mmCIF file of all heavy atoms in Angstrom:
data_model
loop_
_atom_site.group_PDB
_atom_site.id
_atom_site.type_symbol
_atom_site.label_atom_id
_atom_site.label_comp_id
_atom_site.label_asym_id
_atom_site.label_seq_id
_atom_site.Cartn_x
_atom_site.Cartn_y
_atom_site.Cartn_z
ATOM 1 N N SER A 1045 77.288 63.188 -3.281
ATOM 2 C CA SER A 1045 77.396 61.773 -3.644
ATOM 3 C C SER A 1045 77.229 61.558 -5.141
ATOM 4 O O SER A 1045 77.720 60.553 -5.676
ATOM 5 C CB SER A 1045 76.351 60.952 -2.881
ATOM 6 O OG SER A 1045 75.033 61.314 -3.274
ATOM 7 N N GLN A 1046 76.548 62.475 -5.844
ATOM 8 C CA GLN A 1046 76.306 62.260 -7.266
ATOM 9 C C GLN A 1046 77.211 63.112 -8.145
ATOM 10 O O GLN A 1046 77.111 63.067 -9.371
ATOM 11 C CB GLN A 1046 74.836 62.529 -7.613
ATOM 12 C CG GLN A 1046 74.407 61.845 -8.899
ATOM 13 C CD GLN A 1046 72.904 61.841 -9.100
ATOM 14 O OE1 GLN A 1046 72.288 62.871 -9.290
ATOM 15 N NE2 GLN A 1046 72.329 60.651 -9.083
ATOM 16 N N GLY A 1047 78.129 63.860 -7.558
ATOM 17 C CA GLY A 1047 79.010 64.706 -8.355
ATOM 18 C C GLY A 1047 79.827 63.920 -9.364
ATOM 19 O O GLY A 1047 79.876 64.267 -10.554
ATOM 20 N N LEU A 1048 80.478 62.833 -8.918
ATOM 21 C CA LEU A 1048 81.310 62.047 -9.818
ATOM 22 C C LEU A 1048 80.478 61.301 -10.849
ATOM 23 O O LEU A 1048 80.816 61.276 -12.044
ATOM 24 C CB LEU A 1048 82.157 61.059 -9.008
ATOM 25 C CG LEU A 1048 83.042 60.114 -9.827
ATOM 26 C CD1 LEU A 1048 84.029 60.912 -10.680
ATOM 27 C CD2 LEU A 1048 83.789 59.155 -8.900
ATOM 28 N N THR A 1049 79.366 60.698 -10.412
ATOM 29 C CA THR A 1049 78.541 59.942 -11.356
ATOM 30 C C THR A 1049 77.941 60.867 -12.415
ATOM 31 O O THR A 1049 77.775 60.469 -13.571
ATOM 32 C CB THR A 1049 77.423 59.192 -10.628
ATOM 33 O OG1 THR A 1049 76.571 60.133 -9.940
ATOM 34 C CG2 THR A 1049 77.989 58.222 -9.618
ATOM 35 N N TYR A 1050 77.645 62.108 -12.016
ATOM 36 C CA TYR A 1050 77.116 63.063 -12.994
ATOM 37 C C TYR A 1050 78.149 63.361 -14.070
ATOM 38 O O TYR A 1050 77.823 63.450 -15.258
ATOM 39 C CB TYR A 1050 76.701 64.346 -12.283
ATOM 40 C CG TYR A 1050 76.254 65.449 -13.220
ATOM 41 C CD1 TYR A 1050 75.015 65.390 -13.852
ATOM 42 C CD2 TYR A 1050 77.075 66.553 -13.476
ATOM 43 C CE1 TYR A 1050 74.601 66.389 -14.719
ATOM 44 C CE2 TYR A 1050 76.672 67.551 -14.335
ATOM 45 C CZ TYR A 1050 75.435 67.472 -14.950
ATOM 46 O OH TYR A 1050 75.036 68.479 -15.807
ATOM 47 N N GLN A 1051 79.417 63.522 -13.672
ATOM 48 C CA GLN A 1051 80.464 63.783 -14.657
ATOM 49 C C GLN A 1051 80.643 62.586 -15.593
ATOM 50 O O GLN A 1051 80.913 62.765 -16.789
ATOM 51 C CB GLN A 1051 81.776 64.106 -13.946
ATOM 52 C CG GLN A 1051 81.754 65.385 -13.132
ATOM 53 C CD GLN A 1051 81.357 66.598 -13.954
ATOM 54 O OE1 GLN A 1051 81.738 66.716 -15.124
ATOM 55 N NE2 GLN A 1051 80.601 67.495 -13.360
ATOM 56 N N ILE A 1052 80.500 61.372 -15.058
ATOM 57 C CA ILE A 1052 80.564 60.183 -15.911
ATOM 58 C C ILE A 1052 79.436 60.207 -16.926
ATOM 59 O O ILE A 1052 79.628 59.949 -18.119
ATOM 60 C CB ILE A 1052 80.506 58.909 -15.047
ATOM 61 C CG1 ILE A 1052 81.759 58.811 -14.166
ATOM 62 C CG2 ILE A 1052 80.345 57.665 -15.915
ATOM 63 C CD1 ILE A 1052 81.705 57.686 -13.154
ATOM 64 N N TRP A 1053 78.227 60.548 -16.438
ATOM 65 C CA TRP A 1053 77.074 60.611 -17.341
ATOM 66 C C TRP A 1053 77.274 61.673 -18.421
ATOM 67 O O TRP A 1053 76.955 61.448 -19.595
ATOM 68 C CB TRP A 1053 75.813 60.912 -16.528
ATOM 69 C CG TRP A 1053 74.577 61.038 -17.368
ATOM 70 C CD1 TRP A 1053 73.826 60.027 -17.882
ATOM 71 C CD2 TRP A 1053 73.976 62.263 -17.809
ATOM 72 N NE1 TRP A 1053 72.769 60.532 -18.610
ATOM 73 C CE2 TRP A 1053 72.835 61.914 -18.584
ATOM 74 C CE3 TRP A 1053 74.267 63.608 -17.621
ATOM 75 C CZ2 TRP A 1053 72.018 62.867 -19.167
ATOM 76 C CZ3 TRP A 1053 73.448 64.560 -18.202
ATOM 77 C CH2 TRP A 1053 72.337 64.184 -18.970
ATOM 78 N N ARG A 1054 77.846 62.801 -18.050
ATOM 79 C CA ARG A 1054 78.092 63.872 -19.022
ATOM 80 C C ARG A 1054 79.078 63.445 -20.109
ATOM 81 O O ARG A 1054 79.060 63.992 -21.220
ATOM 82 C CB ARG A 1054 78.648 65.112 -18.303
ATOM 83 C CG ARG A 1054 77.623 65.939 -17.530
ATOM 84 C CD ARG A 1054 76.743 66.753 -18.469
ATOM 85 N NE ARG A 1054 77.536 67.619 -19.315
ATOM 86 C CZ ARG A 1054 77.888 68.863 -18.995
ATOM 87 N NH1 ARG A 1054 77.549 69.362 -17.813
ATOM 88 N NH2 ARG A 1054 78.590 69.598 -19.829
ATOM 89 N N SER A 1055 79.953 62.495 -19.786
ATOM 90 C CA SER A 1055 80.946 62.049 -20.764
ATOM 91 C C SER A 1055 80.358 61.092 -21.796
ATOM 92 O O SER A 1055 80.991 60.827 -22.825
ATOM 93 C CB SER A 1055 82.124 61.371 -20.056
ATOM 94 O OG SER A 1055 81.736 60.117 -19.506
ATOM 95 N N LEU A 1056 79.152 60.583 -21.529
ATOM 96 C CA LEU A 1056 78.518 59.676 -22.483
ATOM 97 C C LEU A 1056 77.992 60.459 -23.680
ATOM 98 O O LEU A 1056 77.648 61.631 -23.571
ATOM 99 C CB LEU A 1056 77.366 58.933 -21.801
ATOM 100 C CG LEU A 1056 77.739 58.075 -20.580
ATOM 101 C CD1 LEU A 1056 76.475 57.495 -19.949
ATOM 102 C CD2 LEU A 1056 78.700 56.967 -20.968
ATOM 103 N N PRO A 1057 77.930 59.839 -24.864
ATOM 104 C CA PRO A 1057 77.398 60.537 -26.052
ATOM 105 C C PRO A 1057 75.991 61.059 -25.780
ATOM 106 O O PRO A 1057 75.113 60.314 -25.351
ATOM 107 C CB PRO A 1057 77.398 59.442 -27.131
ATOM 108 C CG PRO A 1057 78.446 58.469 -26.682
ATOM 109 C CD PRO A 1057 78.386 58.472 -25.189
#
Side-chain angles (χ1 to χ4, degrees):
S1045 65
Q1046 202 167 67
L1048 177 60
T1049 61
Y1050 175 74
Q1051 295 304 322
I1052 294 173
W1053 178 80
R1054 284 285 303 270
S1055 70
L1056 300 175

